[in-house]
Amino acid sequence: MISIPLSLSVGLFLLDALGFTINQLSIVGLIVALGILVDDAIVVVENIERFLRAGVERTRAVIESTAQLGLAVIGVTVTLIIAFVPLLRLPAGPGAFIRGLPTAVVTAVAASLLVSLTIVPFLARLLLRPATNPDGNILLRALHRGVDLTYGRLMHGALRRPRLALAVAFGAVALGLGFAVPRMGFSLFPKAEKPQFLVNIEMPNTAGLPATNRVARDVERVLARHPEIVHYTTNVGKGQPSIYYNVPQRNEQPNFAQIFVQCTSETWEEKNELVQRLRRELAVYPAARVEVKDFEQGPPLEAPVAVRLFGDNLDTLRRLSLVVERELRAIPGTTYIYNPVATRSTDLRVVINKEKAGQLGITTADIDRTVRLAVAGIRAAELTPGDGQDKLPVNVTLARPGGFQRLDVLERLYVPTATGSVVPLREVADVRLQTAAPAIRHLDQARYTTVNAFAQDGYLYATLQQAAQQRLEKVKFPPGYSFRMAGEQENKDDALEGFGTTILLSAFAFVLVLVLEFGSLKSTLIVLSVVPLGAVGGVLALHLAGYPFSFTAIIGFVALIGIEIKNSILLVDYTNQLREQGRPLLEAIEEAGETRFIPILLTTCTAIGGLIPLILEPAPLYTPLAWVLIGGLLSSLLLSRIVTPVLYKLFPPDIRQPAEPEPALATVA
């Protein structure tokens, strides 16, 4: 047990030295590492105990048993670190978001190697006593008896019919993957589990603060009817301060309001049910868009489903955006579809007759100031109510009957001339209404607009993105115009950019380490054969628990591969050692299988025990990772302990046999 706090302490020190903090993801990384770092200590202590039960002197038992496992433990640690290298090298926002988790795993595992090969043997020399019974205590004898009756018989039967055993094992893998994978979707990052969410209110562009405030008060009354909501804070005219790490604050905008809601929901399911109920109640509101939005994990996301349209002509872009909007609305599961250029705004344009204005001595600034005085008002002064209080602007404008300025006010405006007289505004300018061009946005020097959509409850973003892309590929775009999927798809592309190259380099380094350790390609391939045996359990557990593939689930599979290969290395390495000592092939396989099964069983149970709290207190971010590891460890324990000995029998690596002693020469007197 001493190895756990020691390894975690050293790992935390290294994590801090690398500039990482203790947060949700780094803690999850340490929990994942918990099942890995205790393995080395368990294997080392169990091997020392086995030497002591065989009657070896204590100091010699510690030295020889540690030396026997030293190379294997080092190889295991190096392969585990290599397995996490692709996650450490992820680019862009997702990489920065998730990097604390694999870093925590790597630092803890590296600390575990140091502790298991130094501190653990030292303490074993001081604390362990020679065994009085070569078969161990009553619990160990019962465990050995259970292993002989179950795993021993199963392995003997598999070794008698190796090809049938392989067919059954890999057939089960194929059936499991074929059943689960087609039924599972992909979601890069899940919803946040915090009992908080936002309500966004957007009015027409012409709406002012009073109208926006009235709608916000109506929404507050709806929120107050729900007892689960304990607090809410409303900002009218701008967004809330940066409350959640990936939600930036909206700039000042008189037709926008945002409400931050805090509820009492203890689980994500309870909060999601409240969010869906509010969405139904606020789905239709006259002259306003009211959107109830949950927080999301991961890097900032404009919208889960987003389509970018590229082209030069603004009118053509608007026409195409209406086509895209129609296609998105036709997809089941989409909601909160937003097309910023769908509704054209109308501007008031004042066209100045510069020649006539110049003859009268009227400048453009005079006309501009007069129009602003009537329409928006001009700041004339600032008022300070008292000491230490903020200054209040004093705006001067024409009277506004009913709270709104009427268009005919421009007919009653007069502009001062250079001589001090005034002339009607209509004498020197024409006032026109014209359609305003939408906001021009550029990406890579190309004009574009975006149509966004969110997902209804029960629909995956990836499914909606795929449906949208399939529908838009059937739309005929004019020459020079195109579309590109953005949103979560863009985040996924950014996250996996260069990921394939990193995976290939890591796989090459993985194989290179195994070949250097064993000096045999056959041993390396036997070790790597366990990867699909654990993957099928992880996929099935993820599917049966109701989770899709996700970024954290991928991390779970990476950790699972490392643990599987660790167990396989220990088994193959010990089998090779027995054969080097002169044991026959079948005897070496059976003894190594039964000897290494108990420490592998103990480490598997320890790892699963460390992951159980992540299941009992579910969270969308890290619970999929726990299910992958638990399911994968169980299937690997059941399948790989059979497949690895069988493959070793069918494809035995070349082992250097001990040299036989030369017969002594007889002498003749």
Side-chain angles (χ1 to χ4, degrees):
M1 295 298 293
I2 195 67
S3 67
I4 296 177
L6 279 177
S7 300
L8 290 179
S9 299
V10 177
L12 287 172
F13 172 78
L14 296 175
L15 197 65
D16 179 67
L18 293 173
F20 290 88
T21 60
I22 297 295
N23 53 46
Q24 187 180 38
L25 286 171
S26 59
I27 291 174
V28 173
L30 293 174
I31 293 174
V32 172
L34 181 65
I36 301 175
L37 60 88
V38 75
D39 289 4
D40 295 339
I42 288 177
V43 170
V44 170
V45 172
E46 193 277 337
N47 208 43
I48 294 173
E49 285 274 15
R50 191 167 57 83
F51 270 69
L52 291 175
R53 291 196 301 271
V56 181
E57 189 270 329
R58 186 163 49 180
T59 302
R60 183 182 165 199
V62 170
I63 295 174
E64 291 186 0
S65 63
T66 305
Q68 185 186 69
L69 290 174
L71 183 61
V73 171
I74 293 173
V76 163
T77 304
V78 173
T79 53
L80 276 170
I81 292 175
I82 291 174
F84 280 93
V85 165
L87 299 177
L88 295 171
R89 300 292 299 170
L90 282 175
F97 171 71
I98 208 75
R99 197 162 289 133
L101 196 157
T103 304
V105 175
V106 169
T107 55
V109 169
S112 171
L113 173 66
L114 176 66
V115 171
S116 62
L117 293 182
T118 56
I119 306 298
V120 169
F122 172 74
L123 293 176
R125 168 66 181 80
L126 296 178
L127 301 177
L128 295 182
R129 295 291 180 265
T132 57
N133 190 326
D135 294 327
N137 57 34
I138 185 172
L139 292 177
L140 188 59
R141 291 198 298 270
L143 187 57
H144 275 291
R145 193 175 302 114
V147 170
D148 291 336
L149 293 175
T150 55
Y151 172 68
R153 291 183 178 180
L154 186 60
M155 182 176 62
H156 297 331
L159 290 174
R160 284 196 300 268
R161 298 179 178 84
R163 289 177 174 80
L164 176 62
L166 288 181
V168 171
F170 285 104
V173 171
L175 287 175
L177 294 177
F179 167 77
V181 172
R183 293 171 170 80
M184 299 176 67
F186 183 85
S187 178
L188 189 62
F189 288 105
K191 303 283 188 182
E193 65 274 10
K194 293 184 179 297
Q196 303 165 346
F197 56 89
L198 294 174
V199 180
N200 291 340
I201 302 169
E202 193 150 0
M203 302 283 289
N205 292 336
T206 56
L209 288 175
T212 307
N213 186 59
R214 281 195 298 271
V215 176
R217 294 289 175 259
D218 289 342
V219 175
E220 286 178 352
R221 284 189 282 272
V222 174
L223 297 176
R225 294 201 296 263
H226 294 269
E228 306 96 320
I229 297 176
V230 291
H231 303 292
Y232 55 82
T233 303
T234 305
N235 260 8
V236 179
K238 67 184 301 184
Q240 297 282 351
S242 185
I243 297 170
Y244 201 62
Y245 67 92
N246 61 1
V247 179
Q249 183 180 17
R250 286 276 294 264
N251 294 328
E252 292 185 2
Q253 197 174 341
N255 65 327
F256 178 77
Q258 191 172 67
I259 304 176
F260 170 71
V261 181
Q262 177 88 29
C263 59
T264 59
S265 305
E266 296 183 358
T267 64
W268 177 83
E269 288 78 7
E270 292 178 0
K271 183 188 71 168
N272 185 57
E273 195 277 331
L274 174 62
V275 168
Q276 300 307 321
R277 205 183 325 144
L278 287 171
R279 283 181 175 178
R280 290 190 294 269
E281 294 181 23
L282 300 170
V284 179
Y285 195 98
R289 286 172 51 90
V290 182
E291 300 177 344
V292 183
K293 293 186 177 180
D294 201 356
F295 291 119
E296 308 253 354
Q297 299 280 11
L301 186 66
E302 178 182 7
V305 181
V307 181
R308 286 205 180 109
L309 296 169
F310 294 88
D312 293 330
N313 187 273
L314 296 178
D315 291 332
T316 305
L317 278 179
R318 179 179 178 276
R319 179 175 58 81
L320 292 175
S321 73
L322 296 176
V323 174
V324 172
E325 181 182 350
R326 184 177 67 246
E327 295 294 335
L328 291 180
R329 293 188 186 279
I331 299 174
T334 56
T335 186
Y336 293 157
I337 297 170
Y338 177 59
N339 182 1
V341 299
T343 303
R344 291 180 172 179
S345 60
T346 301
D347 285 349
L348 185 67
R349 185 181 181 188
V350 179
V351 182
I352 301 173
N353 187 334
K354 294 183 178 180
E355 182 179 354
K356 191 171 183 180
Q359 292 174 354
L360 296 173
I362 301 174
T363 64
T364 302
D366 294 332
I367 298 176
D368 176 73
R369 185 166 50 253
T370 302
V371 173
R372 288 183 180 277
L373 175 68
V375 176
I378 295 177
R379 177 175 295 188
E382 289 182 340
L383 174 65
T384 304
D387 293 338
Q389 297 187 21
D390 294 336
K391 294 181 179 180
L392 302 177
V394 178
N395 287 346
V396 178
T397 184
L398 296 183
R400 299 181 180 183
F404 295 93
Q405 193 60 273
R406 296 171 58 88
L407 185 61
D408 59 8
V409 70
L410 299 178
E411 299 292 330
R412 306 192 302 272
L413 284 183
Y414 290 83
V415 184
T417 66
T419 60
S421 61
V422 294
V423 297
L425 174 65
R426 62 178 179 271
E427 294 293 331
V428 292
D430 292 331
V431 180
R432 305 172 186 173
L433 295 177
Q434 73 174 27
T435 301
I440 301 174
R441 304 171 70 184
H442 291 83
L443 181 66
D444 297 332
Q445 298 182 349
R447 282 182 174 178
Y448 80 97
T449 187
T450 306
V451 183
N452 299 331
F454 285 77
Q456 297 178 13
D457 189 35
Y459 288 87
L460 293 175
Y461 298 157
T463 304
L464 299 181
Q465 289 165 356
Q466 185 178 8
Q469 184 155 0
Q470 290 174 351
R471 296 181 73 95
L472 293 177
E473 286 174 351
K474 299 177 183 178
V475 176
K476 187 176 181 180
F477 285 81
Y481 293 83
S482 61
F483 79 93
R484 184 193 305 170
M485 300 303 297
E488 190 184 66
Q489 179 65 41
E490 188 174 54
N491 278 359
K492 184 170 72 173
D493 293 341
D494 290 342
L496 302 179
E497 182 182 3
F499 194 58
T501 303
T502 308
I503 286 286
L504 290 176
L505 292 175
S506 298
F508 176 76
F510 214 93
V511 174
L512 181 62
V513 170
L514 293 177
V515 170
L516 290 175
E517 180 176 353
F518 291 113
S520 166
L521 184 59
K522 286 184 179 180
S523 295
T524 299
L525 295 178
I526 293 172
V527 168
L528 294 176
S529 67
V530 301
V531 172
L533 306 178
V536 64
V539 170
L540 286 173
L542 198 64
H543 174 62
L544 295 176
Y547 291 97
F549 288 112
S550 62
F551 206 79
T552 50
I554 292 175
I555 294 177
F557 281 109
V558 172
L560 176 63
I561 290 173
I563 298 174
E564 282 187 287
I565 289 179
K566 173 189 69 64
N567 294 335
S568 187
I569 286 175
L570 295 174
L571 178 59
V572 173
D573 181 72
Y574 189 49
T575 308
N576 290 345
Q577 291 183 27
L578 291 177
R579 290 183 63 201
E580 289 174 354
Q581 295 171 10
R583 301 288 186 88
L585 175 63
L586 195 58
E587 180 183 334
I589 292 174
E590 292 179 348
E591 181 178 340
E594 294 186 8
T595 302
R596 286 288 179 251
F597 184 79
I598 291 180
I600 290 173
L601 175 64
L602 294 176
T603 57
T604 299
C605 293
T606 304
I608 292 176
L611 295 168
I612 290 297
L614 302 185
I615 302 297
L616 298 179
E617 293 290 337
L621 180 64
Y622 52 73
T623 301
L625 180 149
W627 278 115
V628 167
L629 286 174
I630 290 175
L633 288 172
L634 289 175
S635 67
S636 178
L637 180 67
L638 297 174
L639 295 176
S640 63
R641 302 287 72 78
I642 299 299
V643 171
T644 301
V646 167
L647 285 175
Y648 198 101
K649 178 186 177 182
L650 293 176
F651 309 101
D654 297 328
I655 299 297
R656 184 177 55 199
Q657 299 292 339
E660 296 183 2
E662 296 182 0
L665 296 177
T667 58
V668 180

